[in-house]
Amino acid sequence: MPGLVWTVDRGLRFTSSTGAGLRAIGLEPGQVVGRTLYEYFDTTDPNFLPIESHRRALEGEEVTYEFAWADRQFQVHVEPFRDEQGAIAGAIGIAFDTTDAHRTMEALRESERRYRRLFESSRDAIYLSTVEGDLIEFNQSMLELFGYTREEMGELNAEALYADPGDRRKFQEKISRDGSVTDYEVKLVTKKGTIMDCLLTSSVQRAEDGSLTGYQGIIRNVTRRKRSEVVLRQEKEFSDAAIGSLPGLFYLFDDEGNLLRWNRNIEHISGFTSEEIATMNPLDFFEGEDRRLLRQAAEKVLTWGYSSVEADFVSRDGTHTPYLFTGKLVTLDGKRCVVGTAIDMVERRRLELQLRQSQKMEAVGQLAGGVAHDFNNVLTVILSNTELLLRGLGPEDPRREEVEDIRGAAQRAAALTRQLLAFSRKQVLKPRVMNLNDAVSNVEKMLGRLIGEDIELVTLLDADLWSTEADPGQIEQIIMNLAVNARDAMPEGGRLALETGNVVIDERFARSHYPIVPGDYTVLVVSDTGEGMDPETRSRIFEPFFTTKQMGHGTGLGLSTVYGIVKQSGGYIWAYSEPGQGTTFKLYFPRAEGGLGQHERKSEGVEADSGHETVLLVEDEESVRTLARRILADEGYNVIEAEDAVAAIKMSRTHRGPIDLLLTDLVMPELSGRELADRLERLRPDIRMLFMSGYTDHAVLRDGSIDLDGNFLQKPFTPESLVRKVREVLDR
């Protein structure tokens, strides 16, 4: 035990220092001689323990104390020393280095304290038991786990803690054979009878002679963990299923480029296995400029939190697929990560193309409808005036032929106008609940004569076909137009097939066939084995006046008329064709509920009597109004003219006599013909109504307030059709 000895004078200045222990505190013998205790310990505090003990020694006391200095522990004794006269001349001190011994004892005490703390503070239940199962020692966690008091636990046998006593026998057999068990799964039971899933880790205790004396062990309750594992497993299964079912691509990678999660679509589209992808960097799926764009996008996500970019995803076989990639910053386990999805732009661009085409067709339709409406007014004047001219010309009059040529040209123009109205969905339809099979059957014989003997006509009609609501005459017109188109595509003969069926449109089909909506539809399929079309031609076939036929062999309105009728009937149409592979048109009409309707009433064609009644004529087109007034006045009617609905209402209020009939255009500024009729009906309840128009909109057509057979006159009309319809309405 190294020691050291020193002396100080009455001024507490070192006069000597020696001993092997000096080196332990970094001193040489005599090194501190001449320095005071205050200087050595670098303090001015007289109560500092070494200084205070030396002061007491100078007063005649002997002082013993323990003191730590320079990382060492010392046992110190200080006492006074006297001169020859017996007076106290200074103090002498001796110290022994007890560091090692002190550390050993402290380690033993700390070990005991640590063991006891661990034993009592452990969250796991710890126990010691005899071979028979008597519990000798147990910690607080064991009491809390099973719900017993310390006294109750001390009286228990370990077998009472097992839900199945047979499990303890199996435990004893295993630990006796192996000497220990680790994480032995067992079900234990609490004082209240609650069964717990536990893991038991235990070892045997033996005496010096090797005989078995008991067991020591740790019990861990894993009931909650097991339940959590079940929940986590279910959540992982759900997460995997959700991620796997996501459309497009899903990915999660960290800021070092390690791919953490992805969906099966990435494996399917890339051609790489899951094991290969796990070792790849996200940038490995891109090339050239796209690789640079993706790197910038990832850096932007990690900096700003979000980014998106369009780039080509490159598969193992070199296939490039355009995608829109999005990324969002998330933090997982303290690490910055990018989570995102990618949408296949092939599908999106195709849908955008469909939308643009639909918008273009809508715009062209609006233009065509407006032109046709105005042209109908012009044709009404031309046709009616030619009819009036012909009345005054005898059969042998040389001018008759020219007038008839004018009438023929006007009639052909009227037919073209009707086709424009059909395309623009502004023609007057007479819808009813019908069956497409009836329409096919009605025109089947006519089609045979129309397409010729070198074309085979095949019909495949679904006997259980659903009904739809449409104008039967217009549906037959659709079939005729498509048949003529097919005939012209098969100059060498071929096969024309008409097929009907039921189909249920789901969300997936609707997404890829904008703008159709999910639901029940009846479908009419018209296919031929003709020349087919290239994609550019196919994209324009429904445009009015577009034709691939030679000059003078078609107006280019056949398929646009089909398109307009289908759309006005609430349906959808698609064409499928490739050069040399023929063409197939598929027409979808919404399913209608209810029984089949009756065909529209046919005109009787009875000769109209002359009139004497008063007719209020309302037409904003002056030429048409003047013509109609002349025709009706020549037949004996008293005609009151009004240029719009406001003027008509004023005339109705100021006119003294009866007004028997309102003859009005449907489409007028300020108030429509329908609104005018409603107001006049309140002023004159007995007044009759007759509406005329070149077209009308869906709201007026579909609400059922206008009898299209009895109270409607289609423009352009002839003098005979006008007089006949006026007489018919007045005579009801």
Side-chain angles (χ1 to χ4, degrees), residues 570-581:
Y572 306 90
I573 182 170
W574 275 274
Y576 304 88
S577 183
E578 293 182 16
Q581 300 298 315

Side-chain angles (χ1 to χ4, degrees), residues 427-429 431 568 696-706 708:
Q427 65 173 337
V428 178
L429 297 183
Q568 192 172 2
T696 188
D697 57 28
H698 281 288
V700 179
L701 271 176
R702 300 280 185 175
D703 66 6
S705 60
I706 295 178
L708 295 180

Side-chain angles (χ1 to χ4, degrees), residues 559-699:
L559 288 179
S560 60
T561 299
V562 170
Y563 177 86
I565 294 172
V566 171
K567 299 300 287 183
Q568 192 172 2
S569 301
Y572 306 90
I573 182 170
W574 275 274
Y576 304 88
S577 183
E578 293 182 16
Q581 300 298 315
T583 300
T584 297
F585 288 92
K586 290 187 177 182
L587 292 72
Y588 297 85
F589 296 94
R591 181 182 183 180
E593 301 296 337
L596 298 180
Q598 300 299 314
H599 284 288
E600 63 273 14
R601 297 191 298 272
K602 303 297 182 182
S603 174
E604 297 294 330
V606 179
E607 189 73 26
D609 295 332
S610 59
H612 59 278
E613 293 91 345
T614 298
V615 177
L616 176 55
L617 171 62
V618 188
E619 168 63 63
D620 59 330
E621 183 66 36
E622 183 178 3
S623 60
V624 177
R625 187 172 72 248
T626 301
L627 175 66
R629 177 186 55 75
R630 257 180 59 200
I631 294 171
L632 293 176
D634 287 349
E635 292 295 325
Y637 292 99
N638 177 31
V639 181
I640 305 171
E641 286 185 68
E643 62 184 10
D644 55 35
V646 175
I649 293 172
K650 289 181 180 178
M651 290 180 179
S652 175
R653 286 174 174 160
T654 59
H655 184 70
R656 298 295 184 183
I659 297 178
D660 301 289
L661 176 69
L662 169 66
L663 173 60
T664 180
D665 190 23
L666 264 176
V667 181
M668 296 185 296
E670 295 190 46
L671 289 177
S672 68
R674 177 70 267 179
E675 292 170 322
L676 170 61
D678 290 340
R679 296 199 183 186
L680 289 188
E681 202 166 26
R682 290 195 291 269
L683 296 173
R684 296 176 178 267
D686 296 330
I687 194 171
R688 304 292 180 88
M689 311 291 180
L690 177 57
F691 303 95
M692 54 183 174
S693 183
Y695 71 91
T696 188
D697 57 28
H698 281 288

